[in-house]
Amino acid sequence: MPKLISILKRAADFIQQRLADRQQAGNYRTLKPENTLIDFCSNDYLGFARSPQLKQKIAEEIGAYPENHNGSAGSRLLAGNLQYTEQLEASIAGYHEAEAGLLFNSGYDANIGLFSSLPQRGDTIILDELAHASIIDGARLSNANRYTFKHNDLQSLADKLKAAKGSIYIGIESIYSMDGDSSPIAEILDLADSYNAAVIVDEAHAIGLYKTGLVQQFGLHNRVFARVITFGKALGCHGAVVLGSDNLRNYLINFARAFIYTTAASFHQVASVKTAYIFLRDADEAISTLKSNIALFKSTIDKHEDFPLIESESAIQCIILKSNEKAKLIASTLQQKGIDVRPILSPTVQQGSERIRICLHAYSTPDEILLLTETLNKFLHER
Ligand SMILES: Cc1ncc(COP(=O)(O)O)c(C=O)c1O
């Protein structure tokens, strides 16, 4: 066989084998079309993504700038920058009481850009073991030493800090995406101060339930080195901002490859973010309904020793099923009842911690929540 054909065959065999292994392990991923089930799985916590009012206002905002093009047609450093975007960055930074903000095309890009460009060879990145894949991937792309500490465990973090060299960066989430619990940010900052470490907080799942994020809610924004706010969840659109000092912004413009080497977001995307922030300022009623919905879920779900509910005050509530099969079975039982909840399987989460992840929303009705908890309670009692 000619050499090229044999290499192609090897690649094709590799792909087939990896897919077969996944199928065998019961965690083969497929894309599902949209459905009309009751939504307990999207990150649209405040209903912005589905809001006809927001859609209308975005259309009006876009219409108010007929001179702006459809596509940005270049990186922000080339043809893709708009004064509109820079004004929005300044206004978002003001809203979050930060010196400056820099938009990225997604939260994934923001974490990749930040964590890959800032820590250098000889420096140390210490991440909570449950940090999002985008934080881990960003850290992997840096040349720094990398450690993880046990989830929310200050002693474990202190142990890692003792061994750290160079400039130290600690990466955490304020609300964890897969567990829904919050991080002890103030205690982590105290510990970080004693080692002169910079703390970076991803607020992807805090923004919304907390109007400006959890860091600011606790008055800790002047103590964190940087915050990442994503727009794809409660803000109902797409993109992210890194908040920090003016110098951090300038540094990222110069060194973050995920910012430099990509086409800037379209005007449509930036206009959506601007409009969503106007809605967020007025979202008190939606936030209060979301809080009551979380309370209703927590008060009607039975505690089950074998299938624990992770302690969480947020819109993300998880029941640990401990196997891919059980997680898939409970999700399909709920789907048969008209409820959209997705199983979270290993390897997305650690083996043994497979779960269903329930997202509550401002638009969930009490009847829908009761149908969810009744179905869950019945299922779990029968196991
Ligand atoms: C904690 C966290 N950070 C970052 C991201 C990535 O954000 P985006 O979806 O905007 O790329 C996510 C999304 O799943 C997330 O949960």
Side-chain angles (χ1 to χ4, degrees), residues 39 67 94 96-97 125 146 244 251 272 288 290 328 345 354 366:
D39 176 16
E67 69 280 16
H96 290 287
E97 297 180 82
I125 305 174
R146 286 180 282 116
Y251 181 89
S272 304
S288 138
L290 175 58
K328 284 196 286 190
L345 309 178
E354 296 86 354

Side-chain angles (χ1 to χ4, degrees), residues 43 105-109 111 132 134-135 173 175-177 202-205 228 230-233 238-240 357:
N43 295 318
N105 286 351
S106 71
Y108 190 89
D109 285 357
N111 279 327
H132 189 260
S134 54
I135 300 175
E173 291 173 37
I175 303 280
Y176 280 89
S177 58
D202 181 328
E203 296 246 58
H205 296 276
V228 174
T230 69
F231 310 140
K233 301 177 198 307
H238 195 236
R357 177 176 181 269

Side-chain angles (χ1 to χ4, degrees), residues 13 35 79 115 120 125 135 208 219 240 262 312 320 327:
D13 288 349
N35 63 52
F115 282 91
Q120 303 297 302
I125 305 174
I135 300 175
T262 190
S312 153
I320 303 292

Side-chain angles (χ1 to χ4, degrees), residues 283-338:
D284 290 331
E285 202 180 315
I287 293 171
S288 138
T289 312
L290 175 58
K291 283 185 180 157
S292 343
N293 286 344
I294 297 168
L296 179 61
F297 174 85
K298 283 169 64 103
S299 65
T300 53
I301 186 81
D302 291 346
K303 306 290 170 291
H304 200 295
E305 238 176 54
D306 293 334
F307 307 113
L309 175 74
I310 297 179
E311 185 50 47
S312 153
E313 300 304 319
S314 79
I316 303 167
Q317 299 286 329
C318 294
I319 299 175
I320 303 292
L321 277 301
K322 301 180 187 164
S323 85
N324 280 343
E325 278 56 51
K326 282 206 186 81
K328 284 196 286 190
L329 182 62
I330 196 167
S332 76
T333 307
L334 289 163
Q335 279 158 14
Q336 279 156 27
K337 286 268 180 190

